[in-house]
């Protein structure tokens, strides 16, 4: 079997190339061809020696993911559905804004965490994506967008691991993918513009701080353990006190940063004033000392099996104001790409597309401090 070169970060590619008897800088050239130029055909890589090109053709390929569908929204949002085999499909969403382009990337087909308000969670877990399948989403989106704009100028400035799956339950594939995204010879995404979102896999938060300290978003959704246990089942394994301690340790490793806490607003469940107050207490005292935090409130996107409702707009506003009054930068996510979600519901039923990533995603925050950047813009 030929290896997929998308499975490697640059160190991995250096390992592969030195195994073929090549110098490390050849691997860097190859890495640039693949990730910066979007090349798949070794015969186009004219600055590599013919002997290397034939060795590569025999042992390797650049295997992108087949695109099942692409939906373009009137607001510029694009959603791709990629085939990952065996009836599984994953989504990526591109969200253009004035000052940045954000790609939302999936890490697993399905998810084992099983959050009550999440359609991916309801779908169950199929399998982890490989490094190559994670990177292929960015590879495809970036080169499609460059081709469309007719120039080699970079389009995607921010990546958020907020598609399907729990990235920290696919750690071994995740880290090389993140490294390739950060690499100046790859996508050159800056550390603060690359966000891993997690439901709270405490030991892996610690490992990420050591191995690849990118921006961290924690999906909180509740200020107390009894409530969080019912919404985010992994809380039973890693309760709030442990999660907040892990957040502090993460910040100790990157002292000038903050953690973004995501909070899905569920009508009558977690959107009352006492919940806002609970969050404030948790941030100030939950870990013994204060955690440097921003909040991102996400109006719930309902789906039939959830039995939950979206909080009313005035409730979201009041909740945000409460956090804001206590000095916490708070943004409210606006849904993008509504018109393509309708199309998404009409997709072929034989693929397990029951996610709705674009509905979770944001445009610019519509609240609340005049100078507030969204959580993607660190
Ligand atoms: N598994 C990771 C990353 C993927 S989910 C995590 O949970 O953080 C990305 C974000 O979308 C999470 O904050 C999640 O809580 C939110 N989300 C999931 N389902 C949603 C829904 N139906 N409406 C709004 N946000 C949702
Ligand atoms: Fe998994 Fe995140 Fe959905 Fe929870 S919210 S089920 S962790 S994808």
């Amino acid at each position: 079997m030929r290896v997929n070169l998308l499975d490697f970060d640059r160190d991995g590619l250096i390992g592969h190339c030195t195994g073929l008897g090549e110098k490390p800088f050849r691997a860097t050239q190859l890495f640039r061809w693949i990730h910066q130029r979007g090349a798949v055909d070794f015969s186009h890589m004219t600055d590599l020696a013919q002997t290397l090109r034939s060795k590569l053709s025999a042992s390797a390929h650049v295997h992108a993911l087949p695109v099942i569908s692409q939906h373009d929204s009137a607001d510029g949002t694009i959603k791709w559905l990629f085939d990952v085999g065996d009836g599984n499909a994953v989504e990526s969403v591109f969200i253009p804004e004035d000052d940045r382009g954000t790609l939302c990337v999936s890490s697993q087909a399905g998810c084992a965490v099983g959050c009550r308000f999440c359609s991916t969670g309801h779908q169950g877990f199929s399998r982890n994506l490989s490094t190559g399948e994670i990177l292929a989403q960015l590879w495809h989106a970036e080169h499609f967008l460059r081709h469309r704009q007719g120039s080699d100028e970079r389009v995607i400035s921010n990546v958020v691991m907020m598609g399907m799956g729990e990235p920290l339950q696919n750690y071994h594939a995740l880290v090389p993918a993140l490294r390739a995204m950060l690499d100046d010879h790859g996508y050159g995404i800056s550390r603060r513009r690359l966000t891993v979102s997690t439901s709270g896999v405490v030991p892996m938060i610690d490992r990420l701080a050591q191995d690849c300290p990118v921006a961290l978003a924690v999906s909180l959704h509740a200020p107390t353990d009894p409530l969080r246990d019912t919404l985010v089942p992994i809380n039973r394994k890693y309760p709030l006190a442990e999660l907040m301690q892990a957040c502090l340790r993460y910040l100790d490793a990157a002292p000038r940063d903050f953690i973004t806490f995501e909070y899905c607003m569920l009508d009558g469940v977690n959107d009352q004033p006492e919940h806002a107050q609970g969050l404030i207490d948790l941030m100030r005292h939950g870990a013994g000392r204060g955690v440097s935090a921003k909040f991102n409130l996400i109006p719930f996107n309902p789906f039939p099996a959830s039995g939950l409702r979206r909080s009313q707009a005035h409730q979201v506003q009041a909740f945000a104001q409460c956090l804001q009054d206590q000095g916490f930068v708070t943004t409210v996510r606006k849904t993008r790409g509504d018109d393509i979600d309708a199309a998404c519901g009409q997709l072929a039923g034989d693929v397990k597309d029951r996610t709705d990533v674009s509905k979770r995603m944001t445009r610019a925050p519509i609240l609340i401090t005049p100078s507030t950047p969204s959580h993607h813009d660190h």
Side-chain angles (χ1 to χ4, degrees), residues 43 83 108 169 190 199 223 231 249 303 326 347 353 356 378:
S43 67
D83 187 354
Q108 300 178 312
Q169 287 187 339
S190 79
S199 55
L231 295 174
R249 291 192 295 273
F303 57 100
Q326 295 299 313
L347 282 167
D353 174 41
D356 239 342
H378 313 314

Side-chain angles (χ1 to χ4, degrees), residues 48-339:
L48 300 181
Q50 183 58 50
T51 48
L52 171 56
R53 284 190 259 154
S54 8
K55 277 192 266 185
L56 286 170
S57 307
S59 68
H61 62 162
V62 179
H63 182 64
L65 286 175
V67 177
I68 295 170
S69 62
Q70 173 180 331
H71 292 277
D72 289 70
S73 163
D75 66 16
T77 302
I78 303 175
K79 177 166 71 175
W80 289 276
L81 189 66
F82 293 101
D83 187 354
V84 294
D86 297 327
N88 289 310
V90 297
E91 264 185 354
S92 314
V93 180
F94 173 67
I95 302 120
E97 293 171 67
D98 293 344
D99 57 343
R100 81 194 85 155
T102 302
L103 189 72
C104 176
V105 170
S106 294
S107 57
Q108 300 178 312
C111 182
V113 177
C115 299
R116 234 180 95 194
F117 49 83
C118 173
S119 51
T120 309
H122 280 241
Q123 161 183 346
F125 177 67
S126 288
R127 68 168 176 87
N128 280 327
L129 299 187
S130 63
T131 297
E133 288 167 331
I134 297 172
L135 268 182
Q137 299 169 59
L138 175 58
W139 182 89
H140 177 83
E142 176 68 22
H143 295 294
F144 167 85
L145 292 162
R146 283 191 201 184
H147 185 75
R148 191 182 68 170
Q149 79 180 3
S151 90
D152 276 347
E153 214 174 300
R154 222 198 280 162
V155 185
I156 294 168
S157 59
N158 296 50
V159 171
V160 293
M161 297 302 304
M162 290 185 189
M164 294 170 74
E166 168 49 59
L168 295 188
Q169 287 187 339
N170 185 14
Y171 191 79
H172 294 291
L174 175 73
V175 168
L178 296 177
R179 288 188 175 142
M181 294 175 191
L182 294 168
D183 198 317
D184 282 338
H185 298 286
Y187 298 88
I189 309 273
S190 79
R191 192 172 72 72
R192 290 188 171 80
R193 289 171 173 267
L194 175 53
T195 301
V196 169
S197 176
T198 180
S199 55
V201 189
V202 164
M204 294 299 145
I205 292 176
D206 286 324
R207 289 198 51 188
L208 191 67
Q210 300 308 315
D211 295 339
C212 196
V214 295
L216 187 67
V218 171
S219 293
L220 200 56
H221 311 307
T224 62
D225 283 321
L227 181 57
R228 196 164 190 268
D229 283 349
T230 69
L231 295 174
V232 187
I234 202 172
N235 194 69
R236 292 183 214 133
K237 193 162 183 195
Y238 306 113
L240 282 169
E242 284 181 36
L243 179 57
M244 297 306 290
Q245 292 287 350
C247 289
L248 272 184
R249 291 192 295 273
Y250 200 85
L251 290 168
D252 285 343
R256 284 177 310 152
D257 289 359
F258 54 87
I259 309 259
T260 301
F261 290 95
E262 293 165 276
Y263 198 93
C264 182
M265 299 289 292
L266 302 163
D267 185 33
V269 174
N270 66 356
D271 64 349
Q272 299 300 304
E274 76 245 31
H275 299 119
Q277 188 54 50
L279 284 183
I280 293 159
D281 294 342
L282 183 68
M283 292 303 135
R284 292 202 173 132
H285 312 297
R289 62 193 156 97
V291 172
S292 183
K294 290 187 182 178
F295 287 100
N296 192 215
L297 307 181
I298 317 171
F300 171 59
N301 290 305
F303 57 100
S306 73
L308 298 160
R309 290 183 312 270
R310 177 185 289 196
S311 298
Q312 295 177 26
H314 71 87
Q315 206 73 43
V316 179
Q317 291 289 333
F319 199 93
Q321 193 65 55
C322 197
L323 297 171
Q324 194 69 38
D325 287 347
Q326 295 299 313
F328 292 99
V329 170
T330 303
T331 56
V332 176
R333 255 191 232 178
K334 192 177 162 195
T335 299
R336 289 286 298 264
D338 273 344
D339 51 341

